[in-house]
Amino acid sequence: FSRVLASEKSLSEKLYTNSGGSIVNAEAVWDHVTMADREFGVYRPVIVIKVLDASNKDWWWGQIDEEIGWFPASFVRLWVNQEDGGAELAEGTSEVQNGHLDPTNDCLCLGSPLQNRDQMRANVINEIMSTERHYIKHLKDICEGYLRQCRKRVDMFNDDQLKVIFGNIEDIYRFQMGFVRDLEKQYNTEDPHLSEIGPCFLEHQDGFWIYSEYCNNHLDACMELSKLMRDGRYQHFFEACRLLQQMIDIAIDGFLLTPVQKICKYPLQLAELLKYTAQEHSDYRYVAAALAVMRNVTQQINERKRRLENIDKIAQWQASVLDWEGDDILDRSSELIYTGELSWIYQPYGRSQQRVFFLFDHQLVLCKKDLIRRDILYYKGRIDMDRYEVRDAIDGRDDDFNVSVKHAFKLCNRDSEEIHIFLAKKPEEKIRWLRAFHEERKMVLEDEKIGFEISEYQKRQAALTVRKVTKQKGVNRWAPPSYPPPQDPLSLGQYEVTEDMAQGEVFEFSQSKRGQAPFWQNFSRLAPFKK
């Protein structure tokens, strides 16, 4: 997305090589996603690329295995000592290292000395500034070239369609313009290596969260565009928009991909900048902090994307539960955090009942197994986790319920005297539940911070998927849930709720390795915590 692709060249054209006649090799330092024909992606870890033609300073012609095509020069690093097999790697980006472009004959040459750290830092700074300027141009083209024209055609697009296709692209455009203005103020045109751009990322760090909504919506945008493109009218319309705006020859879906690529590229650029920033440089600690911030942003965006990809499973699970009452799970929740069986006592009844509990963000769902068909679940209610707090219960006689308890914890209503008490079979199971409740609150707070939610369009798509699956396979019945495998025993004395308890923990649906397992088993087979 940095420059218009160079025109296609035949293999019969002259190949630029070093003086020894051998092909110049390079490796990928940043990931590049293809966006046009005759272009190939370069990805880390090391991929050996044969640089066949470097006459264009921005796009090089090369070969990976049997594939030949264009790739961005700024995404690779040349190898030094090419005549010795290319075992050593040049420091820096592709344009500014042992291999360079000779302006006198437009060919790739080798042999000049490696540039010093200041020059390398200047090159990375210049590359960041260049990509930011090109990116702003792409955003402007999307907003003015496509979105503005689409709004004029009420006969072809409604508001819901435009919201799905373009998401919050205008918010991103406004944010990015402010970010680039501040970046330009910090850019030292005379001595780029002295530029201090780290603070700009830190000052705008909260603004980058708007990319979460766009990235989470991107798959829906592609699906909606794909449906529209089946009609030739829309193909001609979008092409006319591109020509009218004098945009580069990339399809609209390629333009809409650029924000996704951009937010993922920031950590790569900052890591490269930090590499060439001396510790005594005034920008060093700011770049290091900015790198940590942007890695966290991309990590959280990826996590939200994974959660949205799992909402179909949640909708299918709800459809399998008999006697369901009230709102759909997806109206408030998007993640199954933990599940298991517990004994449950609820005032004023005071009678112990065995239930299967499913902890989602914002709510805890209670289900009962059928007495004969143990693979059938009945809905028995839910607890609003936003109104309750979790409290540990000491083994022994409980004052609230006047019963003896062991491995227990409580949920207490913040607005009333309502109390629920839960009893686990083992102390380590109690600890897992306490950790799960802590993770649930943490997830809710993070979602509120970045405004994460499931769109109405995504809910409708999940419902359509459920109906399609039900129609094809009929109503499935589920096997009992599979619990996490036994772990090293944990004593109650080791448990303490801390702010960073769940740091780095990953939740994901595990796939059965023993063949096709019933859906409920797959749904509840989670790995919520690293023990």
Side-chain angles (χ1 to χ4, degrees), residues 194-450:
L194 298 178
S195 301
E196 299 180 3
I197 68 172
C200 289
F201 284 89
L202 298 179
E203 290 169 7
H204 291 270
Q205 58 180 295
D206 290 340
F208 285 108
W209 286 111
I210 62 174
Y211 278 88
S212 178
E213 178 182 341
Y214 187 88
C215 294
N216 292 332
N217 179 72
H218 183 66
L219 180 60
D220 295 333
C222 293
M223 293 171 62
E224 186 67 23
L225 267 178
S226 178
K227 288 191 294 185
L228 294 179
M229 288 301 192
R230 296 169 190 167
D231 186 336
R233 290 188 309 150
Y234 290 92
Q235 297 180 25
H236 295 309
F237 173 78
F238 286 126
E239 178 63 10
C241 290
R242 186 187 69 80
L243 294 173
L244 184 64
Q245 187 71 13
Q246 297 183 332
M247 300 158 70
I248 63 175
D249 190 8
I250 295 178
I252 182 174
D253 54 347
F255 278 100
L256 294 178
L257 178 63
T258 54
V260 180
Q261 291 179 316
K262 186 61 179 176
I263 196 66
C264 293
K265 187 178 179 182
Y266 279 127
L268 303 174
Q269 291 179 318
L270 289 170
E272 195 76 358
L273 180 61
L274 186 64
K275 180 179 178 181
Y276 299 115
T277 304
Q279 292 190 16
E280 59 271 16
H281 195 291
S282 58
D283 201 26
Y284 181 85
R285 63 189 182 98
Y286 297 110
V287 173
L291 175 59
V293 165
M294 298 310 297
R295 279 177 173 169
N296 181 57
V297 169
T298 55
Q299 180 183 352
Q300 293 300 321
I301 289 175
N302 286 333
E303 172 62 13
R304 268 57 184 177
K305 182 176 182 294
R306 183 198 63 78
R307 284 170 61 183
L308 288 175
E309 290 170 350
N310 283 327
I311 63 176
D312 286 352
K313 295 183 176 71
I314 295 177
Q316 291 177 48
W317 171 81
Q318 179 185 314
S320 75
V321 179
L322 302 182
D323 300 337
W324 188 270
E325 295 179 1
D327 298 335
D328 292 336
I329 281 289
L330 293 180
D331 285 346
R332 297 191 63 201
S333 304
S334 61
E335 178 84 340
L336 173 63
I337 297 173
Y338 198 61
T339 181
E341 290 190 58
L342 294 166
S343 294
W344 170 57
I345 305 175
Y346 167 58
Q347 292 178 339
Y349 306 111
R351 180 164 51 91
S352 177
Q353 297 175 319
Q354 195 72 13
R355 292 287 184 263
V356 184
F357 293 89
F358 295 84
L359 177 61
F360 296 86
D361 51 309
H362 294 289
Q363 55 191 317
L364 178 68
V365 177
L366 296 70
C367 295
K368 179 183 178 181
K369 290 182 181 179
D370 188 88
L371 293 176
I372 299 175
R373 291 285 305 275
R374 305 295 283 175
D375 59 340
I376 296 178
L377 287 180
Y378 294 92
Y379 175 83
K380 289 298 177 181
R382 71 184 88 188
I383 297 175
D384 185 350
M385 293 305 302
D386 294 338
R387 298 172 56 196
Y388 285 79
E389 62 181 9
V390 183
R391 295 178 186 172
D392 196 358
I394 301 174
D395 291 353
R397 178 66 60 174
D398 183 77
D399 295 335
D400 293 318
F401 290 84
N402 196 29
V403 295
S404 294
V405 298
K406 192 174 183 180
H407 316 320
F409 59 89
K410 298 178 182 180
L411 290 183
C412 303
N413 193 307
R414 296 186 180 93
D415 303 319
S416 69
E417 297 181 356
E418 182 181 319
I419 300 176
H420 302 259
I421 191 166
F422 304 85
L423 295 87
K425 293 181 179 179
K426 298 179 181 180
E428 54 266 30
E429 182 65 13
K430 169 185 172 177
I431 292 173
R432 292 188 185 110
W433 273 106
L434 291 174
R435 287 175 172 169
F437 285 117
H438 173 79
E439 179 64 23
E440 186 271 339
R441 287 293 90 188
K442 178 184 175 184
M443 183 179 297
V444 167
L445 291 174
E446 290 178 347
D447 288 348
E448 290 176 353
K449 176 182 177 182
I450 67 172

Side-chain angles (χ1 to χ4, degrees), residues 431 434-435 438 491-501:
I431 292 173
L434 291 174
R435 287 175 172 169
H438 173 79
S491 67
L492 289 176
Q494 292 176 288
Y495 176 74
E496 181 181 0
V497 177
T498 61
E499 289 299 322
D500 59 351
M501 176 187 294

